Amino acid sequence: MNLERAELLANIDAGALHALVEGRHGDPFAILGRHSVGQTNVVRALLPGASMVEVVDGETDAIIARMEQVFDGGLYAADIGGRGTYRLRIHWPDAVQETEDPYSFGPLLGDLDLHLISQGTHYDLGRTLGAQPMDVDGVSGVRFAVWAPNARRVSVVGDFNAWDGRRHPMRLRPFAGIWEIFLPRLGPGERYKFEIVDRNGHTLPQKADPVARASEAAPSTASIVASNIPFRWSDDEWMRRHDAREGKGAMSVYEVHLESWLRVPEEGNRNLDWIELSQRLIPYAADLGFTHIELLPIMEHPFGGSWGYQPLGLFAPTGRYGTPEDFAYFVDRCHAAGLGVILDWVPAHFPTDVWGLARFDGTALYEHEDPREGFHKDWNTLIYNLGRNEVKGFLIASALEWLEHYHVDALRVDAVASMLYRDYSRNAGEWIPNKYGGRENLESVEFFKHLNSIIHQRCPHAFTVAEESTAWPGVTRPPEEGGLGFDFKWNMGWMHDSLHYMQEDPVYRKYHHGMMTFGMVYAYSERFMLPLSHDEVVHGKGSLLGKMPGDTWQKHANLRAYFGFMWAHPGKKLLFMGGEIAQSSEWNHDSSVHWDLLDDPLHAGIQRLIRDLNRLYVSEPALQYGDLHPDGFQWAVGDDAENSIFGIFRWPQDRSSCILAVSNMTPVPRHGYRVGVPHAGQWEEVLNSDATCYGGSNLGNVQAWTEAVPSHGKEQSLQLALPPLSTIYLRWKG
């Protein structure tokens, strides 16, 4: 090498040069970009595959110098004297590219950002890490940043550099373990990943961005640079409402797996996109009287058969349905139609795909190292290490991304029980006790408390729901009172007990009567939601209709009676798609809801009943207050096991009205059945699941008057006709 080259390299040792061109150097900014050498400035650029590189004056566009390849592997350098701004004109074999030098820009993330990330308290990671379109020193481009503290080298790769990890190695900010770089002249829509060399010098499979806000649709796996242009929302008034969290009003949730709600068989059985769902799903759910739509996870996930419950893109709406902007439009249209949006969210675990979070920088970064803490045998997934500040911050920032940036109304947190117990689904010797020797996962407890506190502080419009299947105390109690801080909890016990009862032949139901009444023993220990969810209609469990005993008419009558009982029972309501039309086969995520069943009057009758139950629930304060307050509920008939009859009183807070719901869970009509009531006068039948319009036999009571005949501890009573396999609702008229 002659003297001129030696000066251009400023006596950089050969080992560093080899590491740079081989993609092993941990500090590329120390060599690349502009550097002072004696009395002049030298620009160096690593551009393997280029045929010629020129330095162009940033102000005059004049060519300053033609760069010389000073080291094999594409390292170019040139003396530019005392000139200021410059650009690189790169001659590739089939194109000429002109761009500012990425290595001419200084550190980008501020010390406060780095400090908060390390503390786990940076809750706007979606606008800090990942890919951020921005202007730096008047130059438009994209800032890339990723947490990989144990990596030797991290590069951003994409179509813009032929996925070559040598081209754009990043700068390490050692304090926080964050790697960053600004790439000029890139913008939204670019595909990218990170190429990581671990601390042992091994190049890992290229990794998707953990904080990507857009991703390619599966089976492709690249991240996509998302736009930072704010969506133009039209839901200001909606966002100021807080009724849902307070639980004062009706809440009836339609749970939906978007991919299989409605497919288009004429077009390869494709699913609908966000725009089409806005036109079809939203008016459908609103017409049926639901107050909320709950979506099985729509975060990016590699395997469709997981229904979204094994996500890898916790900040990215899946590309299966369109763009992030399209998703925002869907939420906006839901709010315009009076529908809240609940998203299922999974902070418990993640899949092991090599391009995802697993051993992200060559170490157990997001997960626990020890499989006794870090691996779910049931699901073959990895468990988040909630003992790391950065991981807790990552998950909380994900939750806030959906609630703040997408105006989502609630998160239903999946698999909470699996997070609360260290021995969840583990045998002796397969788990590690906590520091006190117990089975409780103390890190998860603190995580949930912190998560819910932050959400309630920053998102006054939003609420959280726990899918928690054990008797863990205080799930919906505020953190300051020792609880986990959720707003609602799925009542899994009620779901299993009531379904078990309904599957019994009516002849034997009298022996299981307590399964329908036991839920009220603990109904006000938490703020409950009654779920008939997707979990009950898959994996060989059959459909709701298929669980009902009897012939075809009786199956439908049983289901109608059950829905009537559910809507009368305290607790918010949730029903999985297909249940509202009494789908006869269990859910298959590869097909649609069987909408053709609506040609059958029995199935159409179930749908009509759900619509009327929802509308009655929304319009009757008496059916709402007792969801959360014990003085709004009383058993009218709770002990008639012999006849399998249940009676429920519901009152509003001011007790100005009263609803009586009576369920007859046998196929025997009961004429003259006496029920004691608290108010004398006229009672009007406002809903009867046995009505002809629902497919029933049309036995019932248009109206009834009380008699001064004591019954059930009341001075006044009604004599009612109870249809077979039915639930009737009567309203006190005074």
Side-chain angles (χ1 to χ4, degrees):
M1 181 177 293
N2 59 35
L3 181 62
E4 184 180 7
R5 287 194 176 189
E7 290 178 337
L8 291 173
L9 290 174
N11 297 316
I12 302 168
D13 67 74
L17 294 173
H18 278 290
L20 180 69
V21 299
E22 292 169 7
R24 296 183 287 105
H25 199 287
D27 186 14
F29 282 81
I31 299 175
L32 302 178
R34 176 166 50 191
H35 295 270
S36 297
V37 178
Q39 301 300 311
T40 189
N41 290 300
V42 171
V43 170
R44 304 187 195 98
L46 182 61
L47 298 164
S51 57
M52 183 175 68
V53 185
E54 298 165 317
V55 183
V56 178
D57 189 291
E59 296 180 0
T60 67
D61 293 336
I63 296 175
I64 299 172
R66 179 172 175 176
M67 301 185 78
E68 177 182 355
Q69 182 164 315
V70 293
F71 197 81
D72 290 344
L75 179 60
Y76 289 83
D79 178 359
I80 66 168
R83 288 179 172 83
T85 59
Y86 67 94
R87 299 191 301 275
L88 301 178
R89 184 174 294 159
I90 309 164
H91 295 258
W92 303 103
D94 57 356
V96 176
Q97 175 190 8
E98 190 162 314
T99 181
E100 291 73 16
D101 182 1
Y103 297 92
S104 66
F105 297 90
L108 302 170
L109 289 172
D111 290 341
L112 179 59
D113 283 320
L114 299 177
H115 174 71
L116 294 176
I117 292 170
S118 296
Q119 277 194 329
T121 56
H122 200 310
Y123 299 134
D124 203 17
L125 291 185
R127 300 303 183 277
T128 306
L129 297 181
Q132 305 298 330
M134 61 176 56
D135 288 351
V136 176
D137 298 335
V139 178
S140 64
V142 176
R143 183 190 71 199
F144 295 91
V146 63
W147 179 54
N150 303 302
R152 178 180 293 184
R153 186 264 293 171
V154 180
S155 297
V156 61
V157 296
D159 297 323
F160 45 84
N161 61 15
W163 301 88
D164 186 342
R166 299 170 298 171
R167 287 274 302 279
H168 292 121
M170 305 168 79
R171 168 189 280 119
L172 174 64
R173 308 296 298 277
F175 171 75
I178 302 295
W179 299 77
E180 63 173 16
I181 194 171
F182 177 72
L183 296 189
R185 305 199 180 198
L186 296 185
E190 292 281 358
R191 302 189 305 153
Y192 71 99
K193 283 187 177 180
F194 295 111
E195 183 176 283
I196 299 175
V197 176
D198 70 15
R199 58 190 173 192
N200 297 316
H202 300 131
T203 302
L204 305 176
Q206 292 177 346
K207 296 283 191 176
D209 180 4
V211 189
R213 291 178 290 119
S215 299
E216 287 188 296
S220 299
T221 59
S223 303
I224 296 175
V225 178
S227 172
N228 278 343
I229 299 174
F231 182 78
R232 297 184 63 181
W233 295 93
S234 61
D235 62 349
D236 290 351
E237 182 179 353
W238 175 276
M239 295 294 286
R240 288 192 290 267
R241 294 169 49 189
H242 306 155
D243 290 350
R245 172 184 294 174
E246 296 167 358
K248 292 180 179 178
M251 186 183 299
S252 183
V253 181
Y254 187 48
E255 187 190 32
V256 178
H257 177 254
L258 291 173
E259 209 165 357
S260 60
W261 183 72
L262 177 63
R263 292 183 180 270
V264 185
E266 300 82 7
E267 300 178 26
N269 210 35
R270 71 168 179 86
N271 55 265
L272 303 184
D273 61 29
W274 288 119
I275 306 303
E276 292 169 317
L277 289 163
S278 299
Q279 298 165 345
R280 303 290 295 273
L281 172 59
I282 292 175
Y284 176 78
D287 176 67
L288 286 187
F290 288 101
T291 63
H292 291 74
I293 295 175
E294 179 170 328
L295 306 180
L296 273 60
I298 56 103
M299 300 80 194
E300 193 58 75
H301 52 281
F303 176 47
S306 76
W307 318 324
Y309 289 103
Q310 294 188 11
L312 277 175
L314 286 189
F315 291 74
T318 176
R320 291 168 171 83
Y321 312 117
T323 67
E325 292 78 13
D326 292 340
F327 171 62
Y329 174 82
F330 175 83
V331 175
D332 198 51
R333 292 299 84 207
C334 281
H335 291 171
L339 289 167
V341 179
I342 304 172
L343 298 185
D344 282 9
W345 182 65
V346 188
H349 59 117
F350 57 91
T352 59
D353 302 70
V354 295
W355 49 268
L357 298 177
R359 302 194 74 83
F360 186 78
D361 63 359
T363 68
L365 190 62
Y366 287 88
E367 69 270 35
H368 293 272
E369 181 71 51
D370 193 320
R372 291 175 297 173
E373 294 184 283
F375 186 71
H376 264 308
K377 292 192 302 181
D378 292 356
W379 304 317
N380 291 317
T381 53
L382 299 170
I383 300 170
Y384 285 105
N385 181 359
L386 296 176
R388 295 199 70 151
N389 289 337
E390 296 91 342
V391 175
K392 287 187 292 187
F394 168 79
L395 291 171
I396 293 174
S398 164
L400 294 173
E401 179 77 12
W402 304 103
L403 299 175
E404 292 183 337
H405 293 285
Y406 288 109
H407 289 199
V408 165
D409 299 277
L411 297 178
R412 176 268 199 184
V413 182
D414 183 61
V416 170
S418 76
M419 300 175 68
L420 290 175
Y421 299 95
R422 287 178 162 267
D423 63 345
Y424 181 88
S425 195
R426 296 180 188 272
N427 298 318
E430 296 178 344
W431 58 283
I432 300 175
N434 63 34
K435 61 183 180 181
Y436 302 112
R439 61 196 287 254
E440 299 82 7
N441 191 317
L442 304 179
E443 292 84 2
S444 292
V445 170
E446 290 307 309
F447 168 73
F448 285 131
K449 290 180 177 181
H450 193 44
L451 169 74
N452 286 310
S453 295
I454 292 295
I455 287 175
H456 293 156
Q457 175 188 342
R458 292 183 47 148
C459 307
H461 73 285
F463 62 94
T464 57
V465 184
E467 189 260 316
E468 202 284 311
S469 55
T470 74
W472 185 282
V475 172
T476 57
R477 192 180 305 144
E480 57 270 22
E481 298 176 13
L484 299 183
F486 287 94
D487 295 287
F488 300 99
K489 172 183 172 175
W490 273 19
N491 194 336
M492 311 290 278
W494 176 89
M495 177 181 70
H496 291 306
D497 287 349
S498 62
L499 282 174
H500 185 117
Y501 176 89
M502 293 304 301
Q503 289 179 80
E504 294 288 340
D505 187 295
V507 172
Y508 303 111
R509 283 178 177 167
K510 62 184 178 181
Y511 303 114
H512 304 275
H513 195 78
M515 301 191 82
M516 293 291 264
T517 60
F518 181 66
M520 289 310 304
V521 173
Y522 60 86
Y524 299 107
S525 62
E526 302 278 6
R527 293 159 56 96
F528 280 120
M529 180 177 289
L530 310 182
L532 292 177
S533 75
H534 65 279
D535 279 330
E536 302 313 304
V537 292
V538 290
H539 301 320
K541 296 178 183 178
S543 66
L544 291 180
L545 183 69
K547 299 178 195 296
M548 303 296 120
D551 58 24
T552 298
W553 188 91
Q554 290 174 331
K555 284 179 179 292
H556 284 82
N558 269 297
L559 188 57
R560 293 193 303 267
Y562 181 42
F563 284 149
F565 177 84
M566 175 180 176
W567 260 252
H569 193 285
K572 309 305 181 184
K573 326 300 177 191
L574 179 141
L575 181 63
F576 183 58
M577 65 182 199
E580 82 279 12
I581 66 167
Q583 184 162 304
S584 32
S585 60
E586 73 176 21
W587 170 48
N588 178 358
H589 69 270
D590 288 324
S591 64
S592 291
V593 172
H594 298 175
W595 298 110
D596 57 314
L597 291 174
L598 289 173
D599 293 334
D600 184 329
L602 285 175
H603 292 274
I606 297 279
Q607 185 191 56
R608 187 175 295 112
L609 175 66
I610 293 296
R611 180 188 291 112
D612 290 349
L613 283 169
N614 278 333
R615 291 179 177 177
L616 183 64
Y617 181 30
V618 169
S619 65
E620 280 289 348
L623 290 173
Q624 301 166 19
Y625 177 69
D627 283 349
L628 304 178
H629 301 90
D631 56 321
F633 164 87
Q634 185 183 17
W635 284 114
V637 181
D639 58 357
D640 191 357
E642 185 63 31
N643 292 308
S644 298
I645 289 174
F646 305 90
I648 289 173
F649 289 123
R650 298 291 301 271
W651 285 279
Q653 185 172 10
D654 62 7
R655 301 183 80 85
S656 59
S657 62
C658 184
I659 291 287
L660 167 64
V662 184
S663 299
N664 175 13
M665 294 301 186
T666 72
V668 179
R670 308 289 178 183
H671 296 277
Y673 188 88
R674 189 169 294 278
V675 179
V677 293
H679 305 293
Q682 183 181 7
W683 291 70
E684 176 188 23
E685 189 175 88
V686 292
L687 187 142
N688 182 342
S689 72
D690 190 55
T692 303
C693 62
Y694 306 136
S697 62
N698 212 36
L699 175 65
N701 314 263
V702 175
Q703 58 186 11
W705 292 84
T706 58
E707 299 173 334
V709 178
S711 182
H712 300 94
K714 304 289 193 300
E715 294 300 318
Q716 299 285 325
S717 61
L718 297 170
Q719 272 196 311
L720 300 174
L722 303 184
L725 298 172
S726 69
T727 297
I728 62 173
Y729 286 69
L730 297 102
R731 181 198 294 122
W732 174 56
K733 293 192 68 176

